[in-house]
Amino acid sequence: MAPPVVRGTAAWRYFGDFRDALLAGQVLVLQVAHPIVAAGVRDHSDYREDPWTRLTRTVASLSIYVYGGTKGAQAEADRLRKLHRSFTGTADGRRYSALDPGAYAWVHATLVMAPVDAQRFFGRPMSASELDEYYAQMCGIGRILGVRERDLPPTWPEFERYYRETIAGFGPNETISTLFETIDTVRKPFSRMSDRRWSRLQKGYSSAQMFLIRATIPSELRARLGLQWTEQDARRFSRLCRATRMLATLVPPPLRTVLMRAIGKLNVWLRAHPWAYRFFVRS
């Protein structure tokens, strides 16, 4: 039985850490590198037309998994599985389903790894005991979400091997190319923001996002995707990592997750009060 996610445990401390946001692009690339996920996103996602709303909904959903309590996580899991049940289609002449067990497990696996990578890059790497507790907790959350026990390895060392071996089979695809194009041409997040102001900000946003993707995806996949990485890039990323670690030391550990915890609690309340959810969240 997975350890409960309560204050002070590994998943509670690390899953919603503000530094995890720096790996948002990495997670998206790794998810859509999977052929079935790529096909589902291509055919059923609106992220290209409305990326900011999609991002908001994704953050809301993630926050509930860990910080919404067991009932909140179960309700969100039921909602997601119902939503994805209709996401079917054809890719390379074969039928696919968004609920394909291997693809569904892989999406969860990328979310499991992201906080571990965030600490490795931008903080203090988790200890062996923290990794064991964290992985057990995230596997428990995976069960709630519908990831079958046999679709993820039972221990952290085996999970790391599974993760590397899965990525070794990935390469370029149309959805990754579309994702990069979307990052490069992303629309302004707020309609009231002037086009002139966004045109100045957009180039910096796109450049930073692509830099973080190139820096944090596994080097072998980076090479297969044709993304350049120079010694100068490595030095820039090293400086960013040091600066982020220093910044994090100024933030008390409980405050590092406060935003994600607040979002999780708010979304549990909103979904328990449908009238409020319809008022605050666009359908």
Side-chain angles (χ1 to χ4, degrees), residues 235-252:
R235 289 192 294 270
R236 287 176 58 203
F237 185 59
S238 180
R239 290 194 295 270
L240 173 64
C241 291
R242 288 197 300 271
T244 308
R245 289 190 199 103
M246 291 177 63
L247 172 63
T249 63
L250 303 177
V251 182

Side-chain angles (χ1 to χ4, degrees), residues 18-26 118 122 209 212-213 216 240 244:
F18 70 92
R19 289 166 286 188
D20 297 349
L22 296 172
L23 294 182
Q26 181 229 53
F122 308 116
Q209 192 63 258
L212 285 169
I213 288 172
T216 59
L240 173 64
T244 308

Side-chain angles (χ1 to χ4, degrees), residues 95-258:
R95 295 286 297 171
Y96 74 83
S97 166
L99 294 180
D100 172 87
Y104 201 69
W106 174 248
V107 170
H108 186 62
T110 62
L111 300 176
V112 171
M113 183 60 86
V116 178
D117 277 348
Q119 292 303 312
R120 178 167 59 89
F121 291 131
F122 308 116
R124 174 187 60 80
M126 295 188 203
S127 67
S129 61
E130 286 177 322
L131 285 168
D132 288 341
E133 179 182 58
Y134 171 78
Y135 185 62
Q137 290 176 310
M138 293 304 293
C139 283
I141 291 169
R143 304 289 177 270
I144 294 173
L145 294 173
V147 177
R148 302 180 307 185
E149 185 173 359
R150 63 179 177 273
D151 289 323
L152 284 180
T155 67
W156 176 255
E158 291 171 297
F159 174 80
E160 286 187 298
R161 184 164 58 251
Y162 149 81
Y163 196 79
R164 290 193 303 269
E165 290 174 352
T166 302
I167 290 174
F170 292 158
N173 65 46
E174 178 187 351
T175 306
I176 294 177
S177 298
T178 301
L179 173 61
F180 291 163
E181 291 171 10
T182 302
I183 292 172
D184 192 47
T185 60
V186 65
R187 300 175 182 177
K188 58 188 179 184
F190 309 110
S191 59
R192 293 184 179 181
M193 180 182 291
S194 70
D195 292 339
R196 183 178 179 181
R197 183 178 183 187
W198 177 240
S199 67
R200 293 197 299 266
L201 295 174
Q202 192 269 337
K203 184 176 181 180
Y205 166 81
S206 301
S207 176
Q209 192 63 258
M210 286 304 302
F211 177 75
L212 285 169
I213 288 172
R214 290 187 293 116
T216 59
I217 63 171
S219 57
E220 64 273 17
L221 180 60
R222 181 172 63 213
R224 286 196 292 272
L225 296 180
L227 299 176
Q228 292 186 341
W229 187 249
T230 66
E231 291 184 4
Q232 183 180 7
D233 289 330
R235 289 192 294 270
R236 287 176 58 203
F237 185 59
S238 180
R239 290 194 295 270
L240 173 64
C241 291
R242 288 197 300 271
T244 308
R245 289 190 199 103
M246 291 177 63
L247 172 63
T249 63
L250 303 177
V251 182
L255 294 184
R256 296 171 190 169
T257 60
V258 67

Side-chain angles (χ1 to χ4, degrees), residues 24-142:
Q26 181 229 53
V27 170
L28 284 174
V29 172
L30 291 176
Q31 288 181 354
V32 300
H34 191 291
I36 293 177
V37 179
V41 169
R42 178 198 66 201
D43 295 342
H44 300 284
S45 176
D46 61 353
Y47 79 94
R48 186 168 190 175
E49 292 75 22
D50 195 0
W52 299 108
T53 298
R54 174 53 50 199
L55 175 62
T56 299
R57 289 176 174 173
T58 300
V59 171
S61 185
L62 291 175
S63 69
I64 295 174
Y65 298 165
V66 173
Y67 303 111
T70 302
K71 290 184 179 179
Q74 186 62 64
E76 181 64 5
D78 294 342
R79 185 190 72 83
L80 287 175
R81 290 188 70 80
K82 181 179 179 180
L83 176 68
H84 286 83
R85 199 168 289 128
S86 62
F87 291 178
T88 60
T90 303
D92 298 326
R94 296 182 180 182
R95 295 286 297 171
Y96 74 83
S97 166
L99 294 180
D100 172 87
Y104 201 69
W106 174 248
V107 170
H108 186 62
T110 62
L111 300 176
V112 171
M113 183 60 86
V116 178
D117 277 348
Q119 292 303 312
R120 178 167 59 89
F121 291 131
F122 308 116
R124 174 187 60 80
M126 295 188 203
S127 67
S129 61
E130 286 177 322
L131 285 168
D132 288 341
E133 179 182 58
Y134 171 78
Y135 185 62
Q137 290 176 310
M138 293 304 293
C139 283
I141 291 169

